Amino acid sequence: MKKSIWLFISIVGIFIVLSGCGKDKYTAIPINEATDKCAICNMQVKDDAFAVQLTTKEGKNFKFDDLGCMNEWISKNGIETVGAEFVRDYNTKEWISYNTASFVYDATFKTPMAYGIYSFKDKPSAQKFIDEQKKGKLMGPEDLKNHTWERAKGTMDMGGQDHNSQAHTESDSSMHMDGQKGMHGQ
């Protein structure tokens, strides 16, 4: 009888341990355009290809209207607090992991805060976009660590919105660059 109880407890314990395996600890959450504001520039986060988000190891979610704003948050708060980062595929708007995404940069690309970076689910999709546009630089997450994160004048895509008084302006393009490395370069 005693052996049966220990066997049962062992099987239940193994089941509990195995049931936790394979599940994503972090997942992207939907954008609510009515209430979601960028954690850096306080602009409305649109439910579009430029929306990005991160979740801290403690489970707090931060949303951003542009990949450059997420970079600024990480520069200020440190990568060690981040549990996961998510970007949107430019073509499908699916949430994808920042760490597996491919990126295309060109200073002339319009993005909400003029950082000029588009995210793609994989390298072939990104390369196809570059070939079609006949411009752009293919980058991976590691390349963004050394990216300059400068903002291009005249390429801010506000989606018809006016600037918020606390939002970035095109003249503050390198305010967070002074002595700091780019995304994840802490």
Side-chain angles (χ1 to χ4, degrees):
M1 178 82 156
K2 213 176 201 184
K3 220 178 206 184
S4 303
I5 293 174
W6 281 112
L7 180 60
F8 177 75
I9 291 172
S10 297
I11 291 172
V12 169
I14 290 170
F15 177 74
I16 290 170
V17 169
L18 291 177
S19 67
C21 295
K23 291 186 180 178
D24 291 335
K25 185 174 182 179
Y26 307 101
T27 58
I29 59 175
I31 298 295
N32 181 341
E33 290 185 350
T35 59
D36 288 336
K37 303 285 183 198
C38 178
I40 290 295
C41 69
N42 206 32
M43 298 293 293
Q44 176 187 23
V45 177
K46 293 278 207 176
D47 191 17
D48 63 13
F50 303 109
V52 296
Q53 62 182 282
L54 65 78
T55 304
T56 64
K57 290 177 181 173
E58 292 78 34
K60 186 162 169 97
N61 185 270
F62 293 92
K63 295 176 184 171
F64 307 92
D65 63 339
D66 193 300
L67 185 59
C69 289
M70 186 166 76
N71 173 66
E72 187 173 338
W73 189 95
I74 290 171
S75 293
K76 290 178 178 180
N77 296 284
I79 190 65
E80 58 280 346
T81 64
V82 177
E85 302 151 282
F86 300 97
V87 296
R88 286 283 199 37
D89 177 73
Y90 183 77
N91 295 317
T92 66
K93 297 184 183 95
E94 287 178 68
W95 287 111
I96 52 177
S97 169
Y98 169 86
N99 293 319
T100 61
S102 292
F103 304 91
V104 177
Y105 167 74
D106 191 274
T108 64
F109 290 163
K110 291 187 183 281
T111 65
M113 296 311 293
Y115 287 101
I117 299 175
Y118 295 173
S119 306
F120 295 88
K121 65 181 175 184
D122 54 33
K123 281 185 182 180
S125 299
Q127 188 60 55
K128 181 180 178 190
F129 181 81
I130 291 169
D131 295 344
E132 289 170 351
Q133 299 299 311
K134 299 188 180 2
K135 63 181 175 180
K137 177 182 177 185
L138 181 63
M139 302 174 82
E142 287 298 315
D143 299 315
L144 291 180
K145 288 181 181 179
N146 299 314
H147 184 62
T148 61
W149 294 101
E150 293 177 15
R151 295 170 61 214
K153 287 190 174 204
T155 60
M156 192 175 291
D157 181 5
M158 301 305 294
Q161 297 178 22
D162 292 327
H163 272 81
N164 177 307
S165 62
Q166 294 179 336
H168 298 290
T169 63
E170 290 190 17
S171 64
D172 72 354
S173 65
S174 61
M175 73 179 212
H176 67 280
M177 293 292 113
D178 301 330
Q180 294 183 11
K181 292 184 179 180
M183 177 106 44
H184 309 142
Q186 307 298 346

